[in-house]
Amino acid sequence: MDSIPSPSPPHPAGRSTEFFHGARDTLPLLLGAAPFGLIFGALASASPLGVAGALPMSALVFAGSAQFIALSLLGSGASVLVVVFTTLVVNLRHLLYAASLQPQMARLPQRWRVLLAFWLTDETFATVHHRYTRDDDAPFKHWYTAGSGAAMYLNWLGWTAAGAWLGAASPALTHLGLEFALVATFVGIVAPLLRERPGMAVALTAAAVALAGRDLPYKLGLMLAACAGVAVGVWMDGRRRPAPVGETR
Amino acid sequence: MNWSLWAVIAGMAAVTFAIRYTLFGLGGRLRFAPRVQQALRHVPVAVLTAIVVPMVLLPDGRHWDLSWRNPWLAGALASAALALGTRKLLAAIAGGMAVYLLWRFGLGLR
Protein backbone atom coordinates (compact mmCIF):
# COMPACT_ATOMS: atom_id res chain seq x y z
CA MET A 1 0.00 0.00 0.00
CA ASP A 2 1.35 3.44 -0.87
CA SER A 3 1.96 5.41 2.25
CA ILE A 4 2.54 8.82 0.72
CA PRO A 5 -0.69 10.59 -0.02
CA SER A 6 -0.51 12.20 -3.42
CA PRO A 7 -0.98 15.98 -3.38
CA SER A 8 -3.67 15.90 -6.05
CA PRO A 9 -6.12 13.10 -6.84
CA PRO A 10 -3.95 10.35 -8.39
CA HIS A 11 -5.56 10.25 -11.80
CA PRO A 12 -7.84 13.08 -12.76
CA ALA A 13 -10.01 11.39 -15.36
CA GLY A 14 -8.96 12.17 -18.94
CA ARG A 15 -11.16 13.51 -21.71
CA SER A 16 -12.20 10.19 -23.18
CA THR A 17 -12.81 8.63 -19.78
CA GLU A 18 -15.08 11.51 -18.79
CA PHE A 19 -16.89 11.30 -22.13
CA PHE A 20 -17.42 7.56 -21.76
CA HIS A 21 -18.59 7.88 -18.17
CA GLY A 22 -21.08 10.57 -19.17
CA ALA A 23 -22.56 8.31 -21.82
CA ARG A 24 -22.54 5.30 -19.47
CA ASP A 25 -24.30 7.14 -16.65
CA THR A 26 -27.02 8.27 -19.08
CA LEU A 27 -27.81 4.69 -20.12
CA PRO A 28 -30.99 4.17 -18.03
CA LEU A 29 -32.36 7.43 -19.37
CA LEU A 30 -31.56 6.36 -22.93
CA LEU A 31 -33.79 3.34 -22.38
CA GLY A 32 -36.53 5.61 -21.05
CA ALA A 33 -36.29 7.94 -24.05
CA ALA A 34 -36.32 5.10 -26.59
CA PRO A 35 -40.09 4.42 -26.73
CA PHE A 36 -40.65 8.15 -26.65
CA GLY A 37 -38.50 8.63 -29.77
CA LEU A 38 -40.05 5.62 -31.48
CA ILE A 39 -43.55 6.93 -30.87
CA PHE A 40 -42.60 10.42 -31.98
CA GLY A 41 -41.26 9.08 -35.28
CA ALA A 42 -44.34 6.94 -35.87
CA LEU A 43 -46.78 9.75 -35.04
CA ALA A 44 -44.81 12.24 -37.12
CA SER A 45 -44.95 10.00 -40.18
CA ALA A 46 -48.76 10.08 -39.96
CA SER A 47 -48.89 13.84 -39.27
CA PRO A 48 -48.50 16.81 -41.62
CA LEU A 49 -44.79 16.69 -40.74
CA GLY A 50 -44.42 13.36 -42.50
CA VAL A 51 -41.48 10.98 -42.64
CA ALA A 52 -39.35 13.67 -44.28
CA GLY A 53 -39.91 16.12 -41.44
CA ALA A 54 -39.53 13.80 -38.45
CA LEU A 55 -35.75 13.44 -38.53
CA PRO A 56 -34.95 17.12 -39.25
CA MET A 57 -37.15 18.13 -36.33
CA SER A 58 -35.45 15.70 -33.95
CA ALA A 59 -32.02 16.73 -35.24
CA LEU A 60 -32.56 20.50 -35.02
CA VAL A 61 -35.01 20.98 -32.17
CA PHE A 62 -34.04 18.04 -29.93
CA ALA A 63 -36.75 18.61 -27.30
CA GLY A 64 -39.06 15.62 -26.87
CA SER A 65 -42.11 17.04 -25.15
CA ALA A 66 -42.13 20.18 -27.33
CA GLN A 67 -41.92 17.99 -30.43
CA PHE A 68 -44.92 15.92 -29.31
CA ILE A 69 -46.95 19.02 -28.63
CA ALA A 70 -45.97 20.46 -32.00
CA LEU A 71 -47.34 17.31 -33.63
CA SER A 72 -50.70 17.64 -31.94
CA LEU A 73 -50.84 21.37 -32.72
CA LEU A 74 -49.95 20.81 -36.38
CA GLY A 75 -52.60 18.09 -36.52
CA SER A 76 -55.23 20.55 -35.37
CA GLY A 77 -54.13 23.08 -37.98
CA ALA A 78 -52.33 25.57 -35.72
CA SER A 79 -50.22 28.28 -37.36
CA VAL A 80 -46.42 28.49 -37.34
CA LEU A 81 -46.43 31.25 -34.73
CA VAL A 82 -48.65 29.30 -32.35
CA VAL A 83 -46.43 26.23 -32.53
CA VAL A 84 -43.25 28.25 -31.99
CA PHE A 85 -44.70 30.22 -29.10
CA THR A 86 -46.02 27.07 -27.44
CA THR A 87 -42.54 25.55 -27.80
CA LEU A 88 -41.13 28.58 -26.03
CA VAL A 89 -43.48 28.17 -23.07
CA VAL A 90 -43.05 24.40 -22.81
CA ASN A 91 -39.24 24.65 -22.92
CA LEU A 92 -38.97 27.47 -20.38
CA ARG A 93 -38.07 24.85 -17.79
CA HIS A 94 -34.65 24.58 -19.46
CA LEU A 95 -33.88 28.05 -18.12
CA LEU A 96 -33.80 26.44 -14.69
CA TYR A 97 -31.28 23.84 -15.82
CA ALA A 98 -29.15 26.46 -17.54
CA ALA A 99 -29.18 28.65 -14.44
CA SER A 100 -28.06 25.72 -12.34
CA LEU A 101 -25.19 24.69 -14.66
CA GLN A 102 -24.13 28.24 -15.49
CA PRO A 103 -21.22 28.44 -12.99
CA GLN A 104 -19.59 25.44 -14.69
CA MET A 105 -19.95 27.00 -18.13
CA ALA A 106 -18.40 30.35 -17.35
CA ARG A 107 -14.85 28.98 -17.69
CA LEU A 108 -15.45 27.22 -21.01
CA PRO A 109 -14.90 28.72 -24.47
CA GLN A 110 -18.03 29.76 -26.37
CA ARG A 111 -17.98 26.81 -28.78
CA TRP A 112 -18.30 24.46 -25.81
CA ARG A 113 -21.14 26.52 -24.38
CA VAL A 114 -22.97 26.37 -27.71
CA LEU A 115 -22.57 22.62 -27.99
CA LEU A 116 -23.55 21.86 -24.41
CA ALA A 117 -26.50 24.25 -24.58
CA PHE A 118 -27.78 22.50 -27.70
CA TRP A 119 -27.53 19.15 -25.92
CA LEU A 120 -29.16 20.35 -22.69
CA THR A 121 -32.16 18.10 -22.02
CA ASP A 122 -34.05 16.95 -18.94
CA GLU A 123 -32.11 13.68 -18.99
CA THR A 124 -28.64 15.13 -19.46
CA PHE A 125 -29.31 17.74 -16.80
CA ALA A 126 -30.36 15.02 -14.36
CA THR A 127 -27.19 13.02 -15.06
CA VAL A 128 -24.76 15.92 -15.09
CA HIS A 129 -26.23 17.68 -12.10
CA HIS A 130 -25.54 14.56 -10.09
CA ARG A 131 -21.92 14.53 -11.30
CA TYR A 132 -21.29 18.20 -10.58
CA THR A 133 -22.35 17.91 -6.97
CA ARG A 134 -19.37 15.64 -6.22
CA ASP A 135 -15.60 16.17 -6.80
CA ASP A 136 -15.55 19.68 -8.02
CA ASP A 137 -12.05 20.18 -9.43
CA ALA A 138 -11.91 17.53 -12.15
CA PRO A 139 -10.56 19.36 -15.18
CA PHE A 140 -12.53 17.69 -17.98
CA LYS A 141 -16.04 17.62 -16.58
CA HIS A 142 -17.39 19.25 -19.71
CA TRP A 143 -16.41 16.08 -21.57
CA TYR A 144 -18.67 14.18 -19.18
CA THR A 145 -21.54 16.51 -20.09
CA ALA A 146 -20.70 16.10 -23.77
CA GLY A 147 -20.74 12.30 -23.41
CA SER A 148 -24.18 12.39 -21.86
CA GLY A 149 -25.47 14.87 -24.46
CA ALA A 150 -24.04 12.97 -27.42
CA ALA A 151 -25.53 9.70 -26.19
CA MET A 152 -28.97 11.28 -25.75
CA TYR A 153 -28.77 12.96 -29.14
CA LEU A 154 -27.78 9.85 -31.11
CA ASN A 155 -30.34 7.81 -29.18
CA TRP A 156 -33.09 10.31 -30.00
CA LEU A 157 -32.17 10.45 -33.69
CA GLY A 158 -31.96 6.68 -33.96
CA TRP A 159 -35.32 6.00 -32.38
CA THR A 160 -36.98 8.82 -34.31
CA ALA A 161 -35.73 7.27 -37.55
CA ALA A 162 -36.86 3.80 -36.48
CA GLY A 163 -40.29 5.13 -35.54
CA ALA A 164 -40.70 7.08 -38.78
CA TRP A 165 -39.74 4.00 -40.76
CA LEU A 166 -42.13 1.82 -38.78
CA GLY A 167 -44.95 4.35 -39.10
CA ALA A 168 -44.43 4.59 -42.84
CA ALA A 169 -44.20 0.82 -43.25
CA SER A 170 -47.41 0.12 -41.35
CA PRO A 171 -49.55 3.23 -41.03
CA ALA A 172 -52.15 1.25 -39.09
CA LEU A 173 -49.75 1.40 -36.13
CA THR A 174 -50.59 5.02 -35.47
CA HIS A 175 -54.29 4.20 -35.25
CA LEU A 176 -53.55 1.74 -32.50
CA GLY A 177 -53.68 4.47 -29.91
CA LEU A 178 -50.07 5.62 -29.92
CA GLU A 179 -51.40 9.15 -29.53
CA PHE A 180 -52.22 8.21 -25.96
CA ALA A 181 -48.49 7.73 -25.25
CA LEU A 182 -48.10 11.49 -24.97
CA VAL A 183 -50.81 11.67 -22.31
CA ALA A 184 -49.34 8.70 -20.41
CA THR A 185 -45.90 10.32 -20.47
CA PHE A 186 -47.05 13.72 -19.28
CA VAL A 187 -49.24 12.26 -16.56
CA GLY A 188 -46.28 10.16 -15.44
CA ILE A 189 -44.09 13.26 -15.22
CA VAL A 190 -46.65 15.46 -13.46
CA ALA A 191 -48.24 13.06 -10.93
CA PRO A 192 -45.18 12.79 -8.63
CA LEU A 193 -44.77 16.59 -8.73
CA LEU A 194 -48.26 17.04 -7.30
CA ARG A 195 -47.13 15.70 -3.97
CA GLU A 196 -44.98 18.76 -3.34
CA ARG A 197 -46.93 21.54 -1.72
CA PRO A 198 -48.32 24.01 -4.22
CA GLY A 199 -48.23 21.46 -7.05
CA MET A 200 -51.85 20.41 -6.72
CA ALA A 201 -53.12 24.00 -6.70
CA VAL A 202 -51.00 24.82 -9.76
CA ALA A 203 -52.36 21.80 -11.61
CA LEU A 204 -56.02 22.41 -10.69
CA THR A 205 -55.79 26.05 -11.74
CA ALA A 206 -54.09 25.21 -15.03
CA ALA A 207 -56.64 22.47 -15.75
CA ALA A 208 -59.64 24.69 -14.99
CA VAL A 209 -58.37 27.57 -17.14
CA ALA A 210 -57.39 25.21 -19.98
CA LEU A 211 -60.87 23.68 -19.99
CA ALA A 212 -62.62 27.05 -19.80
CA GLY A 213 -60.44 28.50 -22.58
CA ARG A 214 -60.25 25.47 -24.84
CA ASP A 215 -62.19 27.13 -27.67
CA LEU A 216 -60.09 30.31 -27.73
CA PRO A 217 -58.14 30.82 -30.96
CA TYR A 218 -54.34 30.41 -31.28
CA LYS A 219 -54.19 28.00 -28.35
CA LEU A 220 -54.57 31.04 -26.10
CA GLY A 221 -56.34 28.79 -23.61
CA LEU A 222 -53.12 26.84 -23.11
CA MET A 223 -51.07 30.00 -22.64
CA LEU A 224 -53.57 31.49 -20.18
CA ALA A 225 -53.72 28.22 -18.29
CA ALA A 226 -49.93 28.04 -17.99
CA CYS A 227 -49.71 31.65 -16.77
CA ALA A 228 -52.59 31.20 -14.30
CA GLY A 229 -51.04 28.02 -12.93
CA VAL A 230 -47.65 29.64 -12.40
CA ALA A 231 -49.26 32.73 -10.85
CA VAL A 232 -51.15 30.61 -8.32
CA GLY A 233 -47.95 28.70 -7.54
CA VAL A 234 -46.03 31.92 -6.90
CA TRP A 235 -48.87 33.28 -4.78
CA MET A 236 -48.96 30.13 -2.65
CA ASP A 237 -45.15 30.17 -2.26
CA GLY A 238 -45.43 33.72 -1.01
CA ARG A 239 -48.08 32.82 1.54
CA ARG A 240 -46.15 29.82 2.78
CA ARG A 241 -42.76 31.44 3.18
CA PRO A 242 -43.30 35.18 3.36
CA ALA A 243 -40.85 37.72 1.93
CA PRO A 244 -37.69 35.96 0.73
CA VAL A 245 -36.11 39.42 0.59
CA GLY A 246 -32.34 39.51 0.71
CA GLU A 247 -32.24 35.75 0.45
CA THR A 248 -28.94 34.63 -1.02
CA ARG A 249 -28.62 31.38 -2.82
CA MET B 1 -42.96 19.11 -46.88
CA ASN B 2 -43.95 22.70 -47.59
CA TRP B 3 -42.23 25.87 -46.44
CA SER B 4 -44.45 26.38 -43.42
CA LEU B 5 -43.32 23.08 -41.90
CA TRP B 6 -39.71 24.11 -42.36
CA ALA B 7 -40.61 27.43 -40.72
CA VAL B 8 -42.06 25.49 -37.78
CA ILE B 9 -38.86 23.45 -37.40
CA ALA B 10 -36.62 26.51 -37.75
CA GLY B 11 -38.70 28.53 -35.28
CA MET B 12 -38.85 25.72 -32.72
CA ALA B 13 -35.10 25.13 -33.05
CA ALA B 14 -34.39 28.84 -32.59
CA VAL B 15 -36.47 29.37 -29.45
CA THR B 16 -35.33 26.11 -27.89
CA PHE B 17 -31.67 26.89 -28.45
CA ALA B 18 -32.12 30.48 -27.27
CA ILE B 19 -33.61 29.28 -23.98
CA ARG B 20 -30.84 26.75 -23.43
CA TYR B 21 -27.98 28.99 -24.52
CA THR B 22 -28.72 32.50 -23.20
CA LEU B 23 -27.49 31.93 -19.65
CA PHE B 24 -24.50 29.82 -20.78
CA GLY B 25 -23.50 32.46 -23.31
CA LEU B 26 -23.63 35.30 -20.82
CA GLY B 27 -21.41 33.44 -18.37
CA GLY B 28 -22.14 34.83 -14.92
CA ARG B 29 -23.43 38.18 -16.06
CA LEU B 30 -27.13 37.40 -15.70
CA ARG B 31 -28.72 35.65 -12.78
CA PHE B 32 -32.34 35.09 -11.87
CA ALA B 33 -33.82 36.42 -8.69
CA PRO B 34 -34.84 33.53 -6.40
CA ARG B 35 -38.44 34.54 -6.96
CA VAL B 36 -38.13 34.04 -10.73
CA GLN B 37 -36.49 30.65 -10.22
CA GLN B 38 -39.34 29.73 -7.91
CA ALA B 39 -41.84 30.75 -10.59
CA LEU B 40 -40.05 28.70 -13.27
CA ARG B 41 -40.32 25.67 -11.02
CA HIS B 42 -44.08 25.70 -11.53
CA VAL B 43 -43.92 25.80 -15.32
CA PRO B 44 -43.78 22.05 -16.03
CA VAL B 45 -46.82 21.19 -13.88
CA ALA B 46 -48.86 24.10 -15.25
CA VAL B 47 -48.03 23.47 -18.92
CA LEU B 48 -48.28 19.69 -18.95
CA THR B 49 -51.56 19.69 -16.99
CA ALA B 50 -53.06 22.30 -19.29
CA ILE B 51 -52.19 20.13 -22.30
CA VAL B 52 -53.36 16.81 -20.92
CA VAL B 53 -56.58 17.52 -19.03
CA PRO B 54 -58.68 18.70 -22.02
CA MET B 55 -57.42 15.75 -24.10
CA VAL B 56 -58.49 13.32 -21.38
CA LEU B 57 -61.85 14.82 -20.43
CA LEU B 58 -62.98 15.73 -23.96
CA PRO B 59 -61.44 13.00 -26.14
CA ASP B 60 -63.18 14.18 -29.31
CA GLY B 61 -62.41 17.82 -28.57
CA ARG B 62 -66.07 18.75 -28.21
CA HIS B 63 -67.99 16.59 -25.76
CA TRP B 64 -67.31 15.92 -22.10
CA ASP B 65 -66.80 12.28 -21.25
CA LEU B 66 -66.46 11.71 -17.53
CA SER B 67 -67.67 8.10 -17.55
CA TRP B 68 -65.59 5.06 -16.66
CA ARG B 69 -65.95 3.97 -20.29
CA ASN B 70 -63.64 6.77 -21.45
CA PRO B 71 -60.35 5.03 -22.37
CA TRP B 72 -58.36 8.30 -22.16
CA LEU B 73 -59.55 8.89 -18.61
CA ALA B 74 -58.98 5.28 -17.54
CA GLY B 75 -55.47 5.25 -19.05
CA ALA B 76 -54.53 8.59 -17.51
CA LEU B 77 -55.70 7.50 -14.06
CA ALA B 78 -53.70 4.29 -14.40
CA SER B 79 -50.59 6.27 -15.40
CA ALA B 80 -51.00 8.59 -12.43
CA ALA B 81 -51.45 5.71 -10.00
CA LEU B 82 -48.40 3.89 -11.36
CA ALA B 83 -46.26 7.03 -11.34
CA LEU B 84 -47.14 7.65 -7.70
CA GLY B 85 -46.85 4.01 -6.70
CA THR B 86 -43.68 2.95 -8.51
CA ARG B 87 -41.97 6.31 -9.09
CA LYS B 88 -40.90 4.85 -12.45
CA LEU B 89 -41.83 6.85 -15.53
CA LEU B 90 -41.50 3.87 -17.81
CA ALA B 91 -43.96 1.87 -15.68
CA ALA B 92 -46.43 4.76 -15.77
CA ILE B 93 -46.22 5.01 -19.57
CA ALA B 94 -46.42 1.27 -20.23
CA GLY B 95 -49.19 0.65 -17.70
CA GLY B 96 -51.24 3.63 -18.87
CA MET B 97 -50.91 2.50 -22.49
CA ALA B 98 -51.96 -1.03 -21.54
CA VAL B 99 -55.09 0.19 -19.77
CA TYR B 100 -55.93 2.55 -22.63
CA LEU B 101 -55.56 -0.21 -25.24
CA LEU B 102 -57.53 -2.66 -23.10
CA TRP B 103 -60.38 -0.17 -22.72
CA ARG B 104 -60.38 0.77 -26.35
CA PHE B 105 -59.88 -2.55 -28.07
CA GLY B 106 -60.17 -5.29 -25.45
CA LEU B 107 -63.47 -4.06 -24.09
CA GLY B 108 -64.49 -2.62 -27.44
CA LEU B 109 -65.68 0.53 -25.74
CA ARG B 110 -64.81 2.91 -28.50
Side-chain angles (χ1 to χ4, degrees):
Chain A
M1 219 179 120
D2 292 336
S3 52
I4 306 163
S6 44
S8 60
H11 289 295
R15 292 177 177 84
S16 54
T17 310
E18 289 277 15
F19 188 87
F20 172 72
H21 285 170
R24 184 199 59 190
D25 293 351
T26 313
L27 195 62
L29 297 164
L30 297 182
L31 296 178
F36 214 23
L38 195 69
I39 292 161
F40 172 76
L43 286 182
S45 70
S47 81
L49 201 58
V51 180
L55 210 54
M57 185 179 272
S58 280
L60 297 172
V61 180
F62 190 39
S65 38
Q67 289 178 227
F68 268 101
I69 293 157
L71 281 191
S72 73
L73 287 177
L74 287 172
S76 65
S79 72
V80 175
L81 264 182
V82 171
V83 179
V84 172
F85 190 68
T86 308
T87 301
L88 178 78
V89 173
V90 170
N91 282 341
L92 270 184
R93 68 186 189 286
H94 289 116
L95 270 181
L96 259 188
Y97 306 157
S100 153
L101 296 179
Q102 190 187 34
Q104 315 289 337
M105 296 297 147
R107 62 191 177 85
L108 297 177
Q110 281 294 342
R111 63 196 155 80
W112 268 99
R113 299 188 204 176
V114 167
L115 182 72
L116 297 184
F118 180 72
W119 279 345
L120 182 61
T121 56
D122 303 81
E123 288 86 352
T124 287
F125 174 75
T127 308
V128 165
H129 186 61
H130 202 64
R131 166 80 170 90
Y132 279 147
T133 45
R134 60 187 160 84
D135 44 89
D136 236 23
D137 43 359
F140 299 123
K141 261 191 209 172
H142 47 296
W143 284 87
Y144 181 90
T145 314
S148 171
M152 279 303 296
Y153 190 60
L154 292 178
N155 186 59
W156 185 240
L157 290 188
W159 288 108
T160 300
W165 175 77
L166 215 64
S170 53
L173 237 161
T174 53
H175 298 297
L176 277 180
L178 280 183
E179 68 271 15
F180 182 77
L182 174 72
V183 171
T185 306
F186 287 178
V187 169
I189 292 173
V190 165
L193 298 176
L194 299 183
R195 267 208 282 243
E196 288 170 37
R197 236 351 251 302
M200 190 58 94
V202 172
L204 288 176
T205 308
V209 175
L211 287 169
R214 67 183 187 277
D215 290 330
L216 291 174
Y218 308 121
K219 287 278 162 187
L220 274 175
L222 176 58
M223 298 301 134
L224 287 177
C227 294
V230 171
V232 163
V234 169
W235 178 67
M236 302 233 350
D237 287 337
R239 271 166 43 111
R240 200 155 42 114
R241 192 166 38 81
V245 181
E247 184 184 276
T248 51
R249 37 174 273 104
Chain B
M1 253 198 3
N2 59 24
W3 71 269
S4 72
L5 289 172
W6 284 109
V8 164
I9 292 177
M12 288 177 70
V15 295
T16 303
F17 181 72
I19 290 168
R20 289 169 173 170
Y21 175 70
T22 304
L23 291 184
F24 282 9
L26 287 170
R29 276 170 283 160
L30 177 72
R31 261 162 217 258
F32 286 126
R35 189 161 279 216
V36 177
Q37 296 216 14
Q38 197 68 39
L40 285 174
R41 242 175 276 273
H42 298 305
V43 170
V45 171
V47 170
L48 300 182
T49 310
I51 290 166
V52 159
V53 169
M55 290 175 78
V56 168
L57 299 185
L58 298 91
D60 67 354
R62 239 167 298 210
H63 305 97
W64 291 85
D65 186 354
L66 299 179
S67 73
W68 65 271
R69 304 167 66 91
N70 176 352
W72 291 80
L73 187 54
L77 291 177
S79 285
L82 282 165
L84 289 170
T86 67
R87 293 172 166 271
K88 291 204 169 56
L89 183 54
L90 216 50
I93 297 172
M97 286 290 289
V99 167
Y100 172 84
L101 293 174
L102 178 70
W103 249 243
R104 197 170 143 179
F105 298 104
L107 305 181
L109 289 176
R110 206 136 272 117

